[in-house]
């Protein structure tokens, strides 16, 4: 009996010893519950500053980790849109319903990637996860289009007295005060600096960016775009000549200039931002459905089904090349092909209210086939961003 007790005591001691070792060395299973901190995502997924590939925007939640958001189809969904054209933060030029557009189906198409689905945007959930963060969208009028979409997606759950918009030079910000969240837009269509020189000449400095970039410091999430302005024709060009160092260029291939400008931006990001503190996304070029692309967007009522061979804009190839050379892990949000299918989503002639005479001669009016009606296509871009965070 004594031997049995001794054997039992030895067994209990051994068991206690093994459990103790497990606690010391981490043998016990760790909880896999996501704690809401996106700042840990890069480390958890194995991404480091040394990753130099172009990382397609992906959801970090387990069920979407391997989903390519850029490949899919538009699906009609009666539960959309997620807000209506009465949103007070919409520019007149994109509030197409207010401007008399007779159809509204363009508001009800949802982007569905192949093999997965993008979670429906939930404003309270988004604001809760973004609590005490600065989100800044930087770029041109298409990026402002996206900013207005994101603000309209969230503003409905914020009480009237607890939201406001502030202005600071080239930036504007929507504040959800109870969440201490700001959603900001910064006007910088070329990213690099455009200045006035001697004789009032406009100079695009391909190697200067700090006058713009100083506003970007301190943001938790930065979303960039820059493409359209680089290819404006001479008539619509915003500069008279380029400068790089002491070199002046009056004639420069637009894609060469674009690469130089993007490289200046990339160098600034590499040198000034910490991937553990700031997440950076670069949104790809938004397509234009105008004469140059073979059709106009006037009176288009539904998306295209697919492309046999999707066209890859030259700007996209330049952007991919620059991102591959960066040390900072920038996410490329590819919205180009999916948006190319949406020739029905532009304001066309409904970018302003029309008098009766104009309504009778709509085909004679100018047609905006670059920006997007809201609610509309940019809402899907923002649902993609929401899935990323």
């Amino acid at each position: 009996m004594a031997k049995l007790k001794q054997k039992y005591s030895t067994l209990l001691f051994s068991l206690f010893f093994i459990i103790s070792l497990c606690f010391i060395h981490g043998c016990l299973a760790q909880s896999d519950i996501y704690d809401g901190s996106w700042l840990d995502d890069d480390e958890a997924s194995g991404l480091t500053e040394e990753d130099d590939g172009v990382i397609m925007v992906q959801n970090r939640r387990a069920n979407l980790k391997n989903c390519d958001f850029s490949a899919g189809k538009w699906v009609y969904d009666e539960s959309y849109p997620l807000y209506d054209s009465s949103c007070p933060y919409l520019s007149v030029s994109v509030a197409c319903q207010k401007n008399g557009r007779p159809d509204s189906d363009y508001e009800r198409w949802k982007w569905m990637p192949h093999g997965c689905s993008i979670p429906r945007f939930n404003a309270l959930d988004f604001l809760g996860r973004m609590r005490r963060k600065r989100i800044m969208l930087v770029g041109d009028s298409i990026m402002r289009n996206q900013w207005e979409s994101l603000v309209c997606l969230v503003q409905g759950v914020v009480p009237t007295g607890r939201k406001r918009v502030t202005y600071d030079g080239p930036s504007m910000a929507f504040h959800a005060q109870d969440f201490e969240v700001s959603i900001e837009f910064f006007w910088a269509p070329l990213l690099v600096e455009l200045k006035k020189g001697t004789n009032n000449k406009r100079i695009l400095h391909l190697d200067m960016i700090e006058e713009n970039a100083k506003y970007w410091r301190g943001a938790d999430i930065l979303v960039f775009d820059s493409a359209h302005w680089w290819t404006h024709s001479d008539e619509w060009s915003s500069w008279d000549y380029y400068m790089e160092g002491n070199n002046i260029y009056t004639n420069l291939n637009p894609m060469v200039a674009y690469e130089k400008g993007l490289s200046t931006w990339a160098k600034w990001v590499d040198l000034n931002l910490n991937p553990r503190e700031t997440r950076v996304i670069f949104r790809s070029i938004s397509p234009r459905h105008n004469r140059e692309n073979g059709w106009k967007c006037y009176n288009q009522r539904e998306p295209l089904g697919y492309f046999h061979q999707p066209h890859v804009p030259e700007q996209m190839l330049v952007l991919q090349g620059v991102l591959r050379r960066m040390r900072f892990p920038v996410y490329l949000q590819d919205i180009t092909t999916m948006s190319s299918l949406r020739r029905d989503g532009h304001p066309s002639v409904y970018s302003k209210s029309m008098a009766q005479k104009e309504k009778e001669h709509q085909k004679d009016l100018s047609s905006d086939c670059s920006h997007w009606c809201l609610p509309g296509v940019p809402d899907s871009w923002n649902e993609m961003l929401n899935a990323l965070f």
Side-chain angles (χ1 to χ4, degrees):
M1 188 71 176
K3 286 184 179 180
L4 184 60
K5 285 183 178 181
Q6 184 178 3
K7 189 173 182 180
Y8 183 67
S9 298
T10 303
L11 181 61
L12 284 176
F13 177 80
S14 300
L15 183 60
F16 177 80
F17 181 73
I18 290 170
I19 292 174
S20 300
L21 283 178
C22 283
F23 272 108
I24 293 170
H25 295 289
C27 297
L28 294 182
Q30 299 296 311
S31 171
D32 60 355
I33 298 175
Y34 176 61
D35 66 359
S37 174
W38 60 263
L39 292 174
D40 296 329
D41 288 347
D42 287 348
E43 183 177 2
S45 60
L47 298 175
T48 67
E49 289 184 66
E50 287 72 37
D51 286 311
D52 61 352
V54 178
I55 307 170
M56 301 304 292
V57 61
Q58 296 281 325
N59 193 310
R60 290 298 176 239
R61 298 167 194 167
N63 63 329
L64 290 178
K65 190 172 289 185
N66 298 315
C67 181
D68 178 4
F69 286 169
S70 67
K73 62 181 179 179
W74 290 97
V75 177
Y76 191 80
D77 189 331
E78 285 281 3
S79 69
Y80 280 71
L82 299 173
Y83 59 92
D84 60 42
S85 58
S86 66
C87 173
Y89 302 100
L90 293 182
S91 299
V92 171
S93 59
V94 299
C96 302
Q97 289 295 300
K98 282 188 174 182
N99 293 334
R101 181 165 174 170
D103 62 308
S104 60
D105 280 354
Y106 65 89
E107 299 179 340
R108 295 183 172 85
W109 292 93
K110 175 181 179 178
W111 179 249
M112 182 175 290
H114 297 312
C116 65
S117 61
I118 298 173
R120 185 183 178 89
F121 192 94
N122 182 304
L124 281 175
D125 173 71
F126 177 82
L127 289 171
R129 286 184 287 113
M130 295 297 107
R131 186 181 295 275
R132 300 187 184 90
K133 287 183 170 58
R134 284 181 64 203
I135 307 163
M136 181 177 282
L137 282 65
V138 180
D140 57 18
S141 57
I142 307 294
M143 186 59 89
R144 171 160 178 171
N145 213 174
Q146 185 174 356
W147 176 81
E148 291 182 9
S149 161
L150 184 56
V151 170
C152 287
L153 283 167
V154 303
Q155 68 88 26
V157 300
V158 183
T160 301
R162 306 300 299 163
K163 56 190 172 187
R164 61 193 177 97
V165 174
T166 59
Y167 302 87
D168 180 17
S171 68
M172 57 197 302
F174 171 84
H175 302 269
Q177 293 169 247
D178 291 331
F179 294 90
E180 300 177 63
V181 173
S182 67
I183 302 172
E184 305 173 32
F185 168 71
F186 183 86
W187 173 259
L190 299 158
L191 300 181
V192 292
E193 296 177 24
L194 180 63
K195 294 183 174 183
K196 287 285 184 70
T198 55
N199 299 321
N200 221 30
K201 293 292 186 181
R202 301 164 302 171
I203 309 167
L204 182 58
H205 293 270
L206 298 174
D207 57 352
M208 296 174 64
I209 199 169
E210 186 58 36
E211 283 300 309
N212 292 329
K214 65 184 181 183
Y215 290 90
W216 311 339
R217 298 177 188 275
D220 299 287
I221 298 167
L222 284 164
V223 185
F224 292 94
D225 94 310
S226 182
H228 286 299
W229 279 48
W230 293 91
T231 56
H232 284 178
S233 62
D234 291 341
E235 181 184 356
W236 299 102
S237 176
S238 300
W239 58 89
D240 296 299
Y241 55 87
Y242 306 95
M243 278 194 73
E244 186 179 29
N246 294 322
N247 299 315
I248 295 175
Y249 305 97
T250 53
N251 291 302
L252 191 62
N253 182 297
M255 289 301 99
V256 172
Y258 183 50
E259 183 173 19
K260 288 177 179 291
L262 280 184
S263 296
T264 297
W265 165 84
K267 182 179 179 181
W268 184 89
V269 170
D270 278 340
L271 292 176
N272 291 279
L273 298 182
N274 182 344
R276 291 186 177 276
E277 298 174 355
T278 308
R279 175 155 290 186
V280 178
I281 298 96
F282 205 110
R283 199 207 69 219
S284 67
I285 185 171
S286 172
R288 293 177 289 187
H289 295 97
N290 52 23
R291 290 184 181 89
E292 294 173 4
N293 291 338
W295 66 80
K296 297 198 319 185
C297 61
Y298 173 71
N299 211 28
Q300 300 295 334
R301 299 297 178 90
E302 61 184 26
L304 294 168
Y306 61 93
F307 289 121
H308 288 292
Q309 293 182 323
H311 171 67
V312 180
E314 198 170 359
Q315 294 98 319
M316 183 73 151
L317 300 176
V318 172
L319 172 60
Q320 289 174 332
V322 170
L323 296 184
R324 287 191 185 99
R325 295 192 294 270
M326 294 180 68
R327 294 191 304 273
F328 193 102
V330 175
Y331 290 80
L332 173 60
Q333 184 189 12
D334 183 0
I335 56 87
T336 304
T337 300
M338 63 177 282
S339 305
S340 295
L341 299 170
R342 293 302 308 277
R343 60 182 181 179
D344 60 312
H346 299 287
S348 182
V349 298
Y350 301 104
S351 59
K352 62 178 183 178
S353 296
M354 288 181 278
Q356 185 59 39
K357 188 174 182 179
E358 290 177 308
K359 291 179 182 179
E360 294 171 359
H361 300 88
Q362 290 184 8
K363 289 188 177 181
D364 298 330
L365 302 175
S366 61
S367 182
D368 181 355
C369 297
S370 297
H371 300 93
W372 301 92
C373 293
L374 291 178
V377 172
D379 301 332
S380 290
W381 304 348
N382 285 324
E383 284 194 307
M384 290 170 66
L385 283 182
N386 177 52
L388 169 63
F389 307 141

